[in-house]
Amino acid sequence: MKTIGLLEIFKKYAIFFVMVGLIILFSLLTPYFLTMQNLTNVFVQNSYVIIAAVGLSFIMISGGMDLSIGYQMSLVGIVTSTLMKNVGLPVAVCLIIGMALGILLGLFNGLMAIILKVHPLIVTLGTMTIFQGISYIISNSKSILNLPKSFKFIGQGYLFGFLPVSVILMILIVAIATIILDKTYVGRFIYALGSNEEAAHLAGIDVKKLKLFVFALCGFFVSIATIILFARTGSGASSTGPGTEFTCMTAAVLGGISFKGGEGKMWGVVVGVLILGILSNGMQLINMSTYVQYVVKGFVLLAAVGFDTYQRESAVTAK
């Protein structure tokens, strides 16, 4: 019985043990890894990814997918930067407009999926190019430099001299997302939708409204991630953002969010992003080639998908 209990614990928290193993490995390979400065950098560099992954996770748990989040970041970031630098609007107003735009882009994805009656993955393959095209039209393929200091403080600043603002925002977002999923009826509805959409509909859940809510919520979280990313770089460019969607998707699956929906926890998503962040940081510290890093990350994605399939088949067999 004890052996079975330990096995269940290992399966449930396997991703956490993987992260600890990577920390030990890179600590042995380089003396620069396990330092307070480097570990802080890992959290700061991945804070926006965690927030974006949290948003994507809501859609994945509901049984959908959004491949456009990186391109939403590009568009939201360019609009926000343009309003600040070229139009001269106050930073606070620009941030509100940026978050509102993120929600609208998410709603647009949800509406298109409902109207066209196709899987959101297909819809967002189309909208991603629309968002990116609009972003380049607005920026005219030029970078927007020297953004206001008050804006850059969000991505570069510290409270009390040692608490990164971006990490504080990330912790707040993860906490809010966890409460929504675990403590509210909306969270239960999202899990139900991802497990069986038809059963959720028969149970009285307004499936269309719930899908719109999930996409809007994802857009809101993605807009916050965008603000942190652009504030950290201190400039706006249309090329900033795209590619984040695959990192978030890999981290979500690695963290236990199933491609088929209905499963997953926010703590797993956070650990999934940190594993990718630790891998990237550690490989850079040991001077591993960028192209080799791509290969390693690709194998991590394959391993995550394989583990997800194994977990689901094991659950079916156990029943």
Side-chain angles (χ1 to χ4, degrees):
M1 293 295 292
K2 288 184 178 179
T3 304
I4 294 175
L6 289 172
L7 182 61
E8 288 300 318
I9 290 173
F10 178 77
K11 286 175 66 178
K12 186 175 181 180
Y13 298 103
I15 184 175
F16 179 77
F17 294 124
V18 169
M19 183 179 72
V20 172
L22 285 174
I23 291 173
I24 294 172
L25 173 64
F26 287 120
S27 298
L28 295 173
L29 292 176
T30 170
Y32 304 108
F33 179 79
L34 203 61
T35 63
M36 184 57 68
Q37 181 179 359
N38 187 60
L39 293 179
T40 300
N41 286 339
V42 170
F43 276 97
V44 170
Q45 290 167 2
N46 291 281
S47 56
Y48 81 93
V49 182
I50 289 175
I51 295 172
V54 165
L56 179 61
S57 295
F58 273 93
I59 293 179
M60 292 180 68
I61 291 172
S62 71
M65 176 58 72
D66 190 344
L67 296 179
S68 73
I69 62 172
Y71 302 87
Q72 290 180 45
M73 294 175 75
S74 173
L75 180 52
V76 170
I78 283 298
V79 168
T80 305
S81 300
T82 300
L83 292 175
M84 277 188 291
K85 188 67 179 178
N86 298 342
V87 179
L89 290 179
V91 171
V93 174
C94 296
L95 296 182
I96 292 171
I97 293 173
M99 288 185 283
L101 177 59
I103 294 171
L104 287 174
L105 296 179
L107 282 172
F108 180 72
N109 282 336
L111 277 171
M112 288 299 99
I114 291 170
I115 292 171
L116 298 177
K117 296 180 180 180
V118 295
H119 195 280
L121 184 147
I122 306 300
V123 170
T124 54
L125 273 174
T127 58
M128 61 189 276
T129 56
I130 294 172
F131 299 157
Q132 183 72 330
I134 297 173
S135 175
Y136 273 102
I137 290 171
I138 294 173
S139 68
N140 198 26
S141 300
K142 296 178 181 179
S143 296
I144 302 170
L145 306 175
N146 301 318
L147 296 177
K149 289 184 179 179
S150 57
F151 175 71
K152 291 192 284 188
F153 179 78
I154 299 171
Q156 303 174 9
Y158 287 77
L159 291 181
F160 311 112
F162 65 95
L163 290 174
V165 174
S166 59
V167 175
I168 294 172
L169 289 172
M170 177 265 291
I171 293 171
L172 286 173
I173 292 299
V174 173
I176 291 169
T178 301
I179 291 171
I180 292 173
L181 275 181
D182 296 346
K183 304 296 182 182
T184 69
Y185 71 90
V186 174
R188 292 192 291 273
F189 287 174
I190 291 171
Y191 280 112
L193 177 62
S195 297
N196 190 319
E197 182 175 333
E198 184 62 28
H201 175 70
L202 293 174
I205 297 173
D206 192 327
V207 171
K208 291 183 179 179
K209 284 185 178 179
L210 187 58
K211 284 183 178 180
L212 288 176
F213 170 77
V214 169
F215 273 96
L217 189 63
C218 176
F220 173 68
F221 287 146
V222 167
S223 68
I224 295 176
T226 304
I227 290 167
I228 292 174
L229 175 58
F230 278 65
R232 187 161 67 85
T233 59
S235 61
S238 293
S239 58
T240 303
T244 306
E245 64 279 358
F246 292 109
T247 303
C248 293
M249 182 177 65
T250 304
V253 177
L254 194 60
I257 307 294
S258 175
F259 269 120
K260 295 184 179 180
E263 296 179 10
K265 296 290 183 182
M266 284 301 130
W267 71 265
V269 176
V270 174
V271 175
V273 174
L274 290 178
I275 284 178
L276 296 178
I278 289 168
L279 262 177
S280 180
N281 178 268
M283 289 187 294
Q284 288 174 11
L285 288 177
I286 61 176
N287 296 318
M288 188 175 287
S289 159
T290 302
Y291 303 113
V292 176
Q293 291 183 39
Y294 288 148
V295 174
V296 173
K297 289 178 181 178
F299 275 113
V300 168
L301 175 57
L302 290 175
V305 174
F307 185 69
D308 175 48
T309 303
Y310 168 75
Q311 290 279 64
R312 294 185 71 87
E313 289 181 351
S314 298
V316 171
T317 302
K319 291 179 182 178

